[in-house]
Amino acid sequence: MLREDIIIDIFSGWRSFLRKCLFRVIRVGPIPSHIAVIMDGNRRYAKKKKIDDMTGYDAGALALLHLIIYCMELGVKYVTAYAFSIDNFRRQPEEVQKIMDLTMESVMLLTWISKLRSVRVHFAGKLQLLSAEIQDAAKRLMESTAGYNNFVLTICICYTSSDEILHAVEKSCKEKWDDGIGIMGYDKGNDYERLIKVVDIEKHMYTAIAPDPDILIRTGGEYRLSNFLVWQSSCCHLSSLGTVWPEFGVFHLVWAVLDFQKNYRYFAKKKLQL
């Protein structure tokens, strides 16, 4: 169970002072606007520590809250976290239910944090797969924080990139059809006019609230995207860390940002070309 007193402790104290001093040095270089994370390794952490899986997920949720605070202090405006894939419903029902219970607790805690630090919270994915209780809580939180723009947190839940792309294409086609335009295109001499354009698809993405990520971090020593932000990650820095997610700390973030800064010119050039 995550407690508010833990969060207050993270925001204050001598550790916070040292972090802010470190981040002032890092801000001499370019700072990413958007960091995305694949939070891998919660169950491996639990096995390593000889604790139950639920305690491992609790530790993972706390690590995400740490990351949110670090990014606020560093000057990163957007954080997107891969919390639960549609494919994860194939796991044991007991495990899925425990994750859903933790999700409900996290929504309640994020409600408190959003008021404390003016955080906009957005849930991205096929939310109709969630229970009615979680859907209602998530909707209320999104509506109550819609006016905040200092920091934007996107939680990808019941999400896969392939489902997101399919959703965006379907919405784009329906939009054109409702406008009476059709979707097949037409000839202009020898030119072919595409009526469904990239901009149409991108505006209907679940994650359209944020720009494409500058850094995508994956923990657990894996080197795959696992159907996460496939469309959006064509020009972002990929950082694979050997640590499991609950052990992710400030120095892992610093390492990823310094590596991004080292390669910044290359990625800036690629984005300009696009």
Side-chain angles (χ1 to χ4, degrees):
M1 178 74 177
L2 299 172
R3 303 193 313 272
E4 294 177 1
D5 58 321
I6 296 175
I7 309 306
I8 293 172
D9 183 61
I10 300 169
F11 274 119
S12 59
W14 63 270
R15 291 186 182 88
S16 176
F17 173 75
L18 291 177
R19 281 199 312 270
K20 290 173 182 176
C21 291
L22 175 62
F23 291 162
R24 284 191 67 180
V25 175
I26 295 174
R27 281 197 295 270
V28 172
I31 295 299
S33 171
H34 183 185
I35 293 178
V37 289
I38 300 175
M39 304 179 291
D40 194 12
N42 292 317
R43 290 185 295 177
R44 275 176 281 170
Y45 172 82
K47 185 176 180 180
K48 174 183 173 183
K49 297 293 184 179
K50 297 181 181 179
I51 55 179
D52 62 273
D53 287 352
M54 193 58 201
T55 306
Y57 285 117
D58 276 336
L62 185 59
L64 176 59
L65 291 173
H66 276 88
L67 175 66
I68 293 167
I69 293 165
Y70 299 159
C71 286
M72 287 180 186
E73 293 175 346
L74 183 58
V76 177
K77 182 172 181 178
Y78 300 91
V79 167
T80 299
Y82 199 7
F84 191 81
S85 166
I86 292 174
D87 298 333
N88 290 150
F89 280 110
R90 299 172 186 170
R91 295 182 180 180
Q92 293 296 322
E94 297 81 8
E95 181 183 357
V96 172
Q97 184 56 51
K98 287 178 180 178
I99 295 172
M100 291 299 120
D101 292 342
L102 178 60
T103 299
M104 190 64 196
E105 290 179 13
S106 299
V107 170
M108 295 166 62
L109 187 61
L110 286 171
T111 301
W112 179 77
I113 293 175
S114 66
K115 294 176 181 177
L116 183 68
R117 289 295 175 120
S118 299
V119 176
R120 181 174 184 180
V121 182
H122 177 68
F123 292 89
K126 208 167 187 175
L127 302 185
Q128 59 267 37
L129 297 178
L130 297 168
S131 68
E133 182 185 19
I134 298 177
Q135 284 187 57
D136 290 344
K139 183 179 179 182
R140 287 196 301 271
L141 181 55
M142 287 191 286
E143 289 175 350
S144 66
T145 63
Y148 298 148
N149 59 12
N150 290 337
F151 184 86
V152 180
L153 171 66
T154 300
I155 305 292
C156 292
I157 187 166
C158 301
Y159 172 96
T160 62
S161 192
S162 53
D163 176 68
E164 178 182 38
I165 294 169
L166 177 61
H167 165 83
V169 171
E170 288 176 340
K171 285 287 188 180
S172 299
C173 292
K174 184 178 185 302
E175 182 179 66
K176 296 297 183 182
W177 185 267
D178 290 345
D179 289 343
I181 298 175
I183 61 173
M184 298 305 295
Y186 55 89
D187 289 315
K188 281 187 176 180
N190 295 324
D191 295 328
Y192 183 74
E193 179 73 14
R194 289 187 299 178
L195 296 181
I196 301 294
K197 298 182 172 65
V198 170
V199 66
D200 297 315
I201 295 174
E202 289 184 338
K203 76 178 181 181
H204 289 297
M205 290 286 195
Y206 293 137
T207 54
I209 193 172
D212 291 349
D214 299 298
I215 304 176
L216 196 158
I217 298 171
R218 176 161 191 158
T219 55
E222 300 292 345
Y223 293 88
R224 48 196 167 84
L225 294 178
S226 294
N227 217 347
F228 178 59
L229 299 184
V230 174
W231 180 286
Q232 299 90 334
S233 58
S234 60
C235 277
C236 85
H237 178 70
L238 303 178
S239 179
S240 177
L241 303 176
T243 185
V244 290
W245 175 248
E247 295 178 340
F248 183 92
V250 64
F251 291 108
H252 298 104
L253 175 62
V254 168
W255 173 263
V257 172
L258 290 176
D259 204 26
F260 162 79
Q261 291 179 341
K262 184 176 69 174
N263 296 282
Y264 175 76
R265 289 186 179 181
Y266 170 79
F267 288 108
K269 182 179 178 181
K270 293 293 288 184
K271 286 185 177 181
L272 283 174
Q273 289 174 349
L274 290 176

